[in-house]
Amino acid sequence: MTANMYRVGGALDESSESPVLNFGRSDQLSPKQRHQMKHRELFLSRQVETLPATHIRGKCSVTLFNETEALCSYLNKDDMFFYCLVFDPTQKTLLADKGEIRVGSRYQCDVPPMLRDSDSDDRELAELETLTWTPEHNLSDRQIDQFLVVARSVGTFARALDCSSSVKQPSLHMSAAAASRDITLFHAMDTLHRHGYDLSSALCSLVPSSGPVLCRDEMEEWSASEANLFEEALDKYGKDFNDIRQIFCLGKL
């Protein structure tokens, strides 16, 4: 049996404090729970080893530590463990998992207090923000939906005229799906806003004299086989994109 090995992080130094217990919520734990949390923490090693199946005593659940979860939730089951560090066997280092999602109190911005009604805002708002959409227009929701359908239809037709798109999306179904991506929605709404929510003017801009507007994002540059290859790599290596590039997809993507 071949598998990525999880090893107990506390085994490195029994006197060291778990990084998980450095969070402010750790003071909600009793001394016994803190001890249990420390010994539930593992670290992930990218080193692959082969073991006989007879040496495996049972299965356990190992998950990436989520800062939004209650710490006690990792103590509810006897076979539940977690990790937040990855061991590099080459450098002999423990680093935070590159795939972690940065949520929680440590990654929040400092929001200034709200101004009272009697306070004046002396900032130049034009230098801080750019208006891209406003609900204060004369179009109904139905008219906006109809314009979005037209924008997707133009995107489908534009792909039929584009040689590179015809190769990567050889069927009408694939072209229509590509034209329904968010990039088309964003372009359509931006077009409406730039033309003052004038449907006639916005519709004309979708098909200028140079031909129908084609909006594509980075994902559409990939072929179906490249997208499937990336999904397979993401399932195997998680969000460690350096490993995906170096080990799995170098020369393929």
Side-chain angles (χ1 to χ4, degrees):
M1 180 178 179
T2 302
N4 287 352
M5 299 298 295
Y6 292 91
R7 307 186 181 184
V8 179
L12 291 179
D13 184 0
E14 288 296 333
S15 63
S16 63
E17 181 73 347
S18 165
V20 173
L21 297 179
N22 290 331
F23 299 137
R25 292 175 295 134
S26 65
D27 55 5
Q28 303 171 4
L29 302 178
S30 66
K32 179 180 179 180
Q33 289 175 322
R34 290 174 64 88
H35 176 79
Q36 290 175 328
M37 283 292 294
K38 183 173 182 179
H39 288 276
R40 290 290 181 92
E41 182 182 2
L42 313 178
F43 65 83
L44 175 64
S45 174
R46 298 300 184 190
Q47 179 178 344
V48 177
E49 299 180 9
T50 302
L51 296 173
T54 54
H55 288 188
I56 300 176
R57 293 179 295 177
K59 295 190 299 183
C60 64
S61 175
V62 181
T63 182
L64 177 64
F65 176 74
N66 188 341
E67 296 179 21
T68 61
E69 293 282 347
L71 296 179
C72 293
S73 65
Y74 294 94
L75 303 177
N76 294 335
K77 297 180 180 179
D78 293 336
D79 60 350
M80 187 172 185
F81 298 83
F82 65 92
Y83 76 96
C84 62
L85 301 177
V86 178
F87 175 66
D88 185 342
T90 304
Q91 302 295 330
K92 305 297 182 184
T93 56
L94 278 173
L95 299 174
D97 185 13
K98 296 178 182 178
E100 67 174 345
I101 300 176
R102 295 179 177 269
V103 296
S105 57
R106 296 191 302 163
Y107 304 110
Q108 301 302 310
C109 64
D110 295 326
V111 180
M114 186 188 310
L115 293 175
R116 296 189 297 268
D117 293 338
S118 58
D119 294 337
S120 60
D121 191 350
D122 299 328
R123 298 174 300 173
E124 290 291 338
L125 297 182
E127 298 178 0
L128 301 176
E129 56 192 18
T130 301
L131 182 64
T132 60
W133 181 264
T134 177
E136 298 177 359
H137 51 71
N138 59 348
L139 298 179
S140 66
D141 290 344
R142 176 175 174 78
Q143 289 176 310
I144 294 176
D145 290 339
Q146 289 173 329
F147 179 79
L148 296 180
V149 171
V150 172
R152 296 188 188 102
S153 302
V154 170
T156 303
F157 180 57
R159 283 165 176 80
L161 299 178
D162 183 70
C163 295
S164 61
S165 296
S166 300
V167 173
K168 293 180 179 179
Q169 286 94 28
S171 69
L172 177 61
H173 176 77
M174 294 177 63
S175 296
S180 299
R181 297 175 66 86
D182 287 343
I183 188 68
T184 303
L185 170 66
F186 296 154
H187 172 72
M189 298 183 72
D190 182 61
T191 299
L192 270 179
H193 181 75
R194 284 189 291 105
H195 289 269
Y197 303 92
D198 184 336
L199 275 179
S200 177
S201 176
L203 285 170
C204 291
S205 70
L206 292 179
V207 189
S209 57
S210 57
V213 175
L214 175 57
C215 301
R216 289 188 295 199
D217 56 17
E218 293 82 356
M219 285 296 296
E220 196 172 334
E221 296 299 324
W222 294 9
S223 65
S225 60
E226 290 172 334
N228 291 333
L229 184 65
F230 179 73
E231 288 181 3
E232 184 179 346
L234 196 63
D235 182 63
K236 184 174 181 180
Y237 292 104
K239 294 184 179 180
D240 195 334
F241 298 110
N242 185 60
D243 277 1
I244 290 176
R245 180 178 183 276
Q246 296 295 330
I247 300 174
F248 198 85
C249 300
L250 191 60
K252 297 181 181 180
L253 287 181

